[in-house]
Amino acid sequence: MSAVRILLPDNSAKEFDHEPTVLEVALSIGPRLAKDTLGAVLNDSGEVVDLRQKLKDGTKVKLVTTKDPLSLEVIRHSAAHVMAQAVQEFGPT
């Protein structure tokens, strides 16, 4: 497989020998950034994807960290899934 280039908001690029995940991109920049990353917006779509999303060559990635205004949306969405799972476990079947 040829190099996979991932484009960052500052117009720089990271190259990988495989299709990386969002988390791998964050880790390639730094461990602290990876720890603070909750997801990413791809190709200016406005939709946040999770850390396990594999990225294709030429994908533009904006990492969503705990300091990003979108982080509250991500945390609420995740909390809703956790609550729904708990309700299903404790509620009548």
Side-chain angles (χ1 to χ4, degrees), residues 38-83:
L38 301 172
V41 175
L42 307 181
N43 299 318
D44 299 319
S45 69
E47 179 184 337
V48 179
V49 298
D50 100 12
L51 296 172
R52 299 170 292 177
Q53 177 71 45
K54 288 204 177 240
L55 306 172
K56 303 217 178 284
D57 185 42
T59 301
K60 183 176 178 184
V61 175
K62 177 189 176 284
L63 299 173
V64 176
T65 67
T66 54
K67 295 177 182 173
D68 192 301
L70 284 173
S71 65
L72 185 57
E73 178 184 330
V74 173
I75 292 168
R76 284 179 177 161
H77 182 86
S78 296
H81 280 283
V82 170
M83 186 173 67

